Amino acid sequence: MLALLALTDAAHAGEQRRNWFDDPFMQVAPGLPACPVPLGPLYTEAERRSQMHSRLERGTSCWLAGRCADSNAYRYDKAIAPELRRALARVPGLQRGSVWVTVQRRWVYLQGCVPTRALAQRLERAARAVKDVETVVPDLMIGTRGRAPYPVNDEEESNRQK
């Protein structure tokens, strides 16, 4: 049984990850180069298959609950992304951090590293103020030490360390 689990893990470890759903993912500041790079919306083929049903359900539930005019909450994301980039760019001190943004179904994930808690709070407020943003998830580290509070892109990390 353990050998089978090890083979399964090894097979998934080498599996190519892609942004299958074309979710907006962007770095808005590169100021702390030692910051762990987030995985972002990259999924294996198996993860894509397991997410398909729940994404359809979550996207439609917004419309059914009357919180979205569109029948799919994910269709807002591409319009939110450039507005979000502009809003965050206006936050004083942004360039002192390394910040990435993912937008999925009107939810904004702020990931990366900032030098102060005050900057993290300003970024969160700026993201919440963008039209059509429903929720902001602030997964920001203060500094670059310690374990990231978000999944890390191990491939990017190993390339960066070479």
Side-chain angles (χ1 to χ4, degrees):
M1 183 66 136
L2 290 175
L4 181 59
L5 286 173
L7 285 174
T8 303
D9 287 346
H12 286 295
E15 201 172 341
Q16 182 71 29
R17 292 183 170 276
R18 289 183 37 194
N19 186 352
W20 294 96
F21 304 104
D22 200 25
D23 295 323
F25 178 64
M26 59 196 160
Q27 185 175 19
V28 294
L32 291 171
C35 185
V37 178
L39 180 59
L42 301 178
Y43 304 103
T44 63
E45 171 67 25
E47 290 167 332
R48 179 193 69 83
R49 282 192 307 271
S50 75
Q51 282 216 6
M52 284 177 64
H53 176 74
S54 62
R55 285 177 71 104
L56 283 169
E57 194 173 81
R58 284 190 309 247
T60 306
S61 65
C62 175
W63 178 68
L64 291 172
R67 294 187 322 266
C68 297
D70 195 312
S71 62
N72 186 334
Y74 290 92
R75 283 197 281 253
Y76 288 85
D77 299 344
K78 285 192 178 31
I80 288 171
E83 294 301 320
L84 195 55
R85 182 184 289 275
R86 284 190 281 279
L88 296 176
R90 291 190 294 267
V91 174
L94 170 66
Q95 293 305 318
R96 293 190 348 249
S98 284
V99 179
W100 289 263
V101 177
T102 302
V103 184
Q104 292 177 324
R105 82 177 186 279
R106 300 175 54 205
W107 286 35
V108 172
Y109 297 85
L110 299 174
Q111 298 175 321
C113 307
V114 292
T116 66
R117 187 165 314 288
L119 178 55
Q121 291 167 342
R122 288 193 307 266
L123 291 169
E124 184 179 352
R125 276 194 304 273
R128 286 185 193 287
V130 172
K131 182 180 187 265
D132 290 325
V133 168
E134 183 178 327
T135 299
V136 176
V137 179
D139 285 339
L140 295 165
M141 297 173 59
I142 308 306
T144 59
R145 293 187 178 206
R147 188 163 188 250
Y150 49 83
V152 173
N153 187 328
D154 293 326
E155 187 175 312
E156 283 290 324
E157 285 299 305
S158 64
N159 287 340
R160 193 171 65 171
Q161 293 173 3
K162 288 180 184 177

